[in-house]
Every structure is written in C-alpha cells, then in structure tokens.
Amino acid sequence: MARHTTPEQQSEQQQEDEQTQALAKAAAAVTRKTMFRFRHAIAPHATAFGVWGAGMALHLADVPAWQVLAGEAAAYAAAATVRALIPSTRKALSFRWWQAGAGAWLPAADALGPFGAMQSLYFAAAGLWTVPYVWRNRDYIVRPEKKRRALEAAQAKELEAADPIVIRWAQKTAGKKGALADSKLTNREEFVRGGAEGTRYRIVLDGYTTEDAMLARKRICSDFGVAINFVHVEEPDDGAQNAATVTFLKRLAVVEPELWTEPLLDLETGILPVGPFEDGWGDAALQVWEPGSGPLPVGIFGAMRTGKSSILKIAAAEFARTEGRIVLDYLDPQDGQSCPSLLPYVPHALGIDAIRQRLYAYQAEMQRRRALLSQIEWTDEDGITQRGVQSYDHPGVHGMPMLVIAIDEFHLIARHEDLATIVHDILAEGSKCGMTVWTLDQNVYVAGMGGGDILALVTSGNVVVLRVSDRRIASATFGERMTAYPHLIKIHFPGTQNKTKGCGYLLGATDRPVMMRARHIPKMSAVMRGMPAMTVKLPKVALPDDAAPVRSKGGKGRRSPAIASADVVDLDAPAQMPSLTPSDVAAAQEKVLSLLADANEGLTGAELTVRSGLPLPVAFRVAASLVEQGQARMVDGRYVEMRRAS
C-alpha cells in the first residue's frame, strides 16, 4: 500500500530536509575553510604519505626497483616533452627539489618494504623535510581569519615599511623642510621591463598637487643623491590631482641604442613609435597625422651631433614602405651636408636656390589641391550628394600622397622673408591638403624661426627636443604641457662612456615627461634594400621677378636680387645688427653665460659664436653687454665669467 502523510508530517519532513541541507552546507564550508587554511601544510604531508603508500603497494606487488626508476624516467621525459611543446604548461610541470626527493624515495620504499627500521627512518626524514615549507607559510595557518588579499596587502605594507626608499623618503622628501612635506609612498611595485629595472610608487600628497610633485623632481634627485635620469615623476593613471607616480630606476633602458628593425607606423591611427623611454614603459611616438584631419607638423631641435637626423632616417624607412602614400622631401640649405646618407632614397632640394624653387612649387601644389578637394563630390549618410571635402582624411586619399617637407637648418631658410611666408602658409593651411612641414634646427629663438607665428605653429604639433645647452628651450617648445629637462642631458650617460646621441623628450602621440632615445639606423642602405626611391611630382612654376635668381655678368654663380646671400660674408661691409626683442636679448645673454660657466678658461669671441649658434654680431654684442654689466670680463683676449675670473 502507498504510504500517506498528513500536511503536518510533510511540513516536519521538509524542515528536517532543510536542516540536513543547512548542516551539509555548513560542514562543506568548514571543510573548505580548513583545507584553505592548512593547504600549505596538507600538500607536503600528503606527498609523503602518498609516496610511502605507493612504495608499500609496489613492494607487495613484487615490482623490481629498476622498473620503478624506469617508470619515473619515462614520466620525466614525457613531462619535459609537454613543457617544450606547450609553453603554457612550463610553470605547472617545472622540476622542483621535492620531486627529486620523492623520486629517490619511491624505489627505496619499493625495495625495502613497508616496515622496518630503514623504512621508518625514511618516513621520519620525510616528515622533517616538510617542516621548512610549513614554517615558511605559517602566516596562512596562524591567521586564518584574514583573506588572501588582505594578507597580501598586510605583507606588502610590511615590505614597504622596511623599504630603504620609503624610509629615506619619509626622512628627507616628506620631512618638514622637504620638497613634499607629509607625503607618503604607497603601492610599491618592482619591475624589470624593456631593459630597465626599478621600483614604482604612488605618492599620496598632503597639501600639494600633481604639478607640484612633478616640479619637485630635481629636489627628489638631490634627496636620494642620484642623477635626474634615475627618478621620474608623472601624473597617476586615474588623474587624481592629490597624487602622483614616482619611479626610481636602477638600470636605464636606453644606455645602449636600440636598432630599427621593422616598420612600426600604424596606418590606421597615424602613430609612429620613435624609440623606447628610459624606464622601459613603452615607446615615445609621433602623431604623424590625425585620421579625418590631416598631417601634423613636427619640430626637432637639439645641439650639433645629438641625433636629429636619426628621426628623419626612421621616417624615411617607414614612409618608403607605404607604397607611395607618404613622401618625405628633404630640403637642406647646406647642400646636403647635414644628412648625406638620406639623399639616395628621398627627393631633395639642396641649397637656397633649389629650395626656393621647391617651396614655390609646393605653394602652387597646395593651391591645386585646394581647388581639387573643393570640387570632389560625395554622398552623406542621408544619401544626399555633397560637393567639397573639408579635410585630408588619410594618406593617399583621392590619389594624393601625403607630403612631408623636412627642412634642415631651418634658421637659414627663415631669414628669407618670401620662404618664411610660404612655410607659414603650409603650416597653417597645408594640413587640409595633405601637406605639412618638419623643421630641424639647433635653437628655437623667435628670430631664428622666422617669427613667433611660425614657432607657434610648429610647437602646436609634435615637438622633439634632444640635448641642448639652454634651459629656456624646453619652456619655449613644451610650455606648460610637459616638464622636461633637455638641458640636463649630458654627452655621456652618468658613470659610463656611452654617448646620449638620440636622447631627448618628445611631445606628440605620447607626452610622458621621461627621456626617450630614438632608434638607430647604422646603414640606410641596409634598411632600404629593395625599397624604391621616393619621388614627388610638383607643378612647374616660374618664380616672381623679385625672387627669381639671376646669373651674374660672368655667368658663374647665382644670387637673389631681393635677398642677400647667406653664404657670402663681406668683411669690409659694416656689420648689420639683427633686430632683437628684449626677450631674445635676455635669452641670448643667458645662453652665453651658461657657456662661460661651463668653460674653465673662458672662451674667445670665435669660440663663443660657434658654440652659441648666434650670429657673429649678436654674439659679440651680447658678450660686450655682459662685460658692461659686470657679469663677465676679458682676460687675455677671452671672455670669462666674473665668478671664475675672480
């Protein structure tokens, strides 16, 4: 007969089932917690018991010890094969010291049997063998109430408290008279990345801003007694203005130059990685063009032999692989002497006359492209036909390559009014037509750049400043957008004989205030092998009468009637003093003073002119004004800083 239950009995049965389930869940939770708590103690003991039990079973089965050894060798060979074929299993199947112990114990247990003095001795040794492992993980046993994350945080806090960097920071930088009083270092993170090694922290600020912390970088270097290359202060990832990120480096990633080996230009975004940062965290990169907008200008500045041409070589190697969609045209008023290894692979114009012809052709090309783009018809998302495009979307659009006009020794071009005007127009309007200008020079004085308007347009795009001698150049180029110290870059890395050629700061697709180093191309012929030489097609134009060069009566040489040649100096003619603004005069004086401060025995007028890069009359006039002001004096025909002279 079927058993019938009353509603009351069904309710009691349901309660009993619920209680049973609750007890089972509680027991499972206790078991999981206990297993988790003692997991580091259970594993070695379970291994010891497992090996002993396996040895006993093998002994009872009369399995010879040599067969056990053969089986272990086969298992090890199989594990090694899997590790080699499947990289993801290498960590799990790595050979450890306890595996060696278990492997030696198992055949002994098989040969000696489950009982006896020797087997008991082996078992006791196995128990002692687990003691160091259990002791090392004792925190997981004596403090089970803490979760793993909380325990790791506590251990990290203890590690930070014993960190010498944290201790010194608290004593010096965060002291009452420190650069960032009452600040703290948290989130300690050691790293080895990209050839660099160091430790990163988060600075928790009290009464200071992120900008204050970045400006305190030199004070922090002083507190720790290191060169400025080994400390970096940046904005935190979350953008909080009461915090910053500081990196202390033990090894720099840029001491040895990295070679250019493959194209890195992203044809979708226009980002061109140039070289690694010295802390190894990524690459500094140029924003060659903005999708849907057009190419951006690039300004590359640095003293002589600092590696300005390295970036041009990278650009040439990258653009040559775009199948004609991007063309680099190189203009050098010094007849190709600035970067001769580039000439066989890119179109070029050498000398003032050839450059004048080329720039007037670019002016006509910009007008031609503007007229063409204004007549292009296209259909919008509503299916309506529109006429005219506002911007140059991407390289090669409408069959027009993107034109990059690289002008070396730009100050020699800027002194010609007609050429400076054309460059200004291309910088201001050429982006819509797929044209832009890259300028290379040693300085960024307003007069040398053809006026403040050109300088403002150049610095509105990408800026690269390599080693320079004037600390004002950083503020003139980066402004308040980035805190950089290109004037503190030495010829050699601190403590080494490795040169810093190619090292500098870059503001473009990346804006980290960290020194980078442009990749090196030792031989252009090696990286351009098999690449067709780039060519540029421009309309033929006739120069205006006041700009066209004419032949002299003897038929030799060419000159411009409107603009005096920069290559011929008449020593009998009276020197013409260029017109300088008060800010230009102050900058020139500061530059000359910095040069005199670094020269133990002073400098002659000629040496001062060459090292400063100033025009001859400007250099002499500035030196004379410093003597008049009492900041320098003449000693045996040499200009000497007053402090050294005394």
Side-chain angles (χ1 to χ4, degrees):
M1 288 181 66
R3 183 180 178 182
H4 298 280
T5 57
T6 63
E8 291 79 6
Q9 291 175 332
Q10 292 179 356
S11 178
E12 291 177 358
Q13 183 66 33
Q14 185 177 1
Q15 290 179 357
E16 291 178 0
D17 293 341
E18 291 178 352
Q19 290 178 356
T20 303
Q21 292 177 0
L23 289 174
K25 289 182 179 179
V30 171
T31 302
R32 286 196 302 269
K33 184 175 181 180
T34 303
M35 292 292 291
F36 179 78
R37 175 183 177 184
F38 294 101
R39 65 192 184 281
H40 292 287
I42 292 173
H45 287 92
T47 302
F49 277 105
V51 174
W52 186 82
M56 180 176 63
L58 293 170
H59 180 77
L60 294 176
D62 293 330
V63 177
W66 68 267
Q67 292 184 5
V68 177
L69 288 172
E72 289 179 345
Y76 177 78
T81 303
V82 173
R83 289 179 70 248
L85 297 177
I86 308 176
S88 61
T89 64
R90 290 177 181 174
K91 184 176 181 180
L93 298 178
S94 61
F95 190 72
R96 301 177 177 86
W97 62 272
W98 59 265
Q99 290 175 323
W105 187 22
L106 184 59
D110 175 35
L112 295 174
F115 306 105
M118 289 300 296
Q119 183 69 343
S120 300
L121 182 62
Y122 276 120
F123 187 73
L128 294 175
W129 164 53
T130 65
V131 170
Y133 189 78
V134 176
W135 174 257
R136 189 167 61 249
N137 297 279
R138 64 189 184 281
D139 289 340
Y140 291 92
I141 301 174
V142 300
R143 289 187 284 183
E145 69 280 359
K146 288 189 176 182
K147 294 183 179 180
R148 180 165 185 168
R149 290 184 179 179
L151 186 59
E152 289 178 350
Q155 291 175 338
K157 189 173 182 180
E158 293 176 0
L159 184 61
E160 288 178 358
D163 188 344
I165 294 178
V166 175
I167 295 173
R168 190 168 185 83
W169 182 280
Q171 294 173 346
K172 301 284 289 185
T173 309
K176 291 183 178 180
K177 296 183 179 180
L180 300 172
D182 298 326
S183 60
K184 296 180 181 179
L185 293 184
T186 61
N187 298 6
R188 183 179 187 273
E189 177 188 359
E190 292 189 5
F191 66 89
V192 177
R193 185 185 179 98
E197 179 182 359
T199 311
R200 291 166 67 93
Y201 303 86
R202 182 182 178 90
I203 310 174
V204 179
L205 301 170
D206 185 3
Y208 294 92
T209 65
T210 304
E211 184 179 0
D212 296 331
M214 295 173 68
L215 293 175
R217 180 179 170 191
K218 293 174 71 175
R219 289 278 303 276
I220 296 171
C221 293
S222 175
D223 292 340
F224 286 83
V226 296
I228 200 164
N229 303 77
F230 293 89
V231 175
H232 299 293
V233 183
E234 302 176 73
E235 185 176 348
D237 294 335
D238 57 11
Q241 290 300 298
N242 64 340
T245 300
V246 61
T247 304
F248 292 88
L249 292 174
K250 299 177 184 178
R251 187 173 70 243
L252 306 181
V254 296
V255 175
E256 296 292 339
E258 183 176 314
L259 299 182
W260 186 92
T261 57
E262 60 180 350
L264 300 173
L265 175 63
D266 191 331
L267 292 175
E268 297 295 328
T269 63
I271 294 177
L272 172 60
V274 172
F277 288 110
E278 64 181 342
D279 62 356
W281 288 78
D283 274 8
L286 298 172
Q287 187 73 56
V288 180
W289 75 87
E290 289 184 349
S293 179
L296 298 177
V298 176
I300 306 172
F301 308 102
M304 293 185 294
R305 294 179 294 278
T306 55
K308 296 188 292 294
S309 60
S310 296
I311 299 177
L312 280 185
K313 292 178 181 179
I314 293 174
E318 296 276 0
F319 297 166
R321 288 160 171 79
T322 63
E323 300 177 349
R325 285 178 286 180
I326 308 177
V327 176
L328 174 69
D329 191 7
Y330 179 60
L331 280 56
D332 182 14
Q334 291 188 336
D335 299 320
Q337 188 179 9
S338 301
C339 188
S341 61
L342 198 65
L343 302 182
Y345 311 104
V346 298
H348 51 269
L350 309 180
I352 293 296
D353 291 344
I355 291 174
R356 174 173 281 108
Q357 185 72 40
R358 186 67 60 87
L359 286 178
Y360 273 95
Y362 274 120
Q363 186 181 50
E365 173 66 9
M366 186 170 63
Q367 296 172 356
R368 185 191 72 83
R369 291 190 172 198
R370 187 185 297 124
L372 176 63
L373 293 173
S374 65
Q375 298 300 317
I376 290 178
E377 293 185 352
W378 55 283
T379 304
D380 62 14
E381 61 274 10
D382 297 325
I384 301 175
T385 302
Q386 304 283 352
R387 174 174 291 182
V389 293
Q390 187 176 6
S391 61
Y392 183 86
D393 294 333
H394 57 271
V397 67
H398 308 303
M400 296 183 295
M402 192 178 87
L403 300 177
V404 175
I405 311 166
I407 306 179
D408 215 336
E409 301 297 343
F410 183 72
H411 66 279
L412 298 178
I413 302 298
R415 66 179 57 175
H416 298 266
E417 185 176 353
D418 60 332
L419 303 185
T421 300
I422 296 175
V423 170
H424 175 274
D425 292 344
I426 296 175
L427 286 170
E429 305 168 10
S431 179
K432 297 179 181 180
C433 306
M435 301 167 58
T436 192
V437 176
W438 289 21
T439 58
L440 293 84
D441 212 333
Q442 297 180 26
N443 297 306
V444 288
Y445 298 124
V446 173
M449 292 295 294
D453 292 340
I454 292 181
L455 178 59
L457 290 171
V458 170
T459 56
S460 66
N462 303 266
V463 179
V464 182
V465 181
L466 308 178
R467 175 171 54 85
V468 294
S469 58
D470 189 350
R471 61 176 175 267
R472 294 170 60 95
I473 291 180
S475 61
T477 51
F478 300 129
E480 297 182 358
R481 296 175 293 171
M482 192 170 77
T483 303
Y485 302 91
H487 62 287
L488 295 182
I489 301 175
K490 306 299 182 183
I491 297 179
H492 298 92
F493 284 97
T496 72
Q497 291 301 313
N498 295 359
K499 291 188 176 182
T500 59
K501 185 176 181 180
C503 291
Y505 293 82
L506 187 149
L507 177 62
T510 55
D511 58 356
R512 295 186 63 205
V514 180
M515 191 178 78
M516 65 90 196
R517 185 169 193 173
R519 290 186 174 86
H520 181 49
I521 299 180
K523 293 183 178 180
M524 284 297 294
S525 58
V527 301
M528 299 297 283
R529 186 177 294 116
M531 292 289 105
M534 287 183 279
T535 58
V536 59
K537 295 181 180 180
L538 297 173
K540 294 182 179 180
V541 297
L543 299 182
D545 294 338
D546 59 346
V550 298
R551 292 191 177 276
S552 61
K553 293 181 180 180
K556 296 181 180 181
R558 299 171 70 84
R559 62 180 179 84
S560 170
I563 302 173
S565 172
D567 302 324
V568 180
V569 178
D570 187 358
L571 298 179
D572 295 330
Q576 298 295 323
M577 183 67 179
S579 58
L580 300 176
T581 64
S583 60
D584 290 338
V585 173
Q589 288 180 338
E590 189 170 355
K591 182 176 184 63
V592 170
L593 276 177
S594 65
L595 291 173
L596 294 179
D598 294 337
N600 294 328
E601 299 179 357
L603 298 171
T604 64
E607 293 172 340
L608 197 60
T609 302
V610 172
R611 296 191 184 185
S612 66
L614 297 172
L616 182 66
V618 174
F620 275 96
R621 185 66 190 91
V622 168
S625 66
L626 292 176
V627 173
E628 294 173 0
Q629 296 171 9
Q631 299 185 61
R633 61 182 298 185
M634 290 288 293
V635 178
D636 297 331
R638 306 177 73 88
Y639 292 97
V640 182
E641 187 188 19
M642 183 59 71
R643 178 173 56 85
R644 294 188 179 276
S646 60

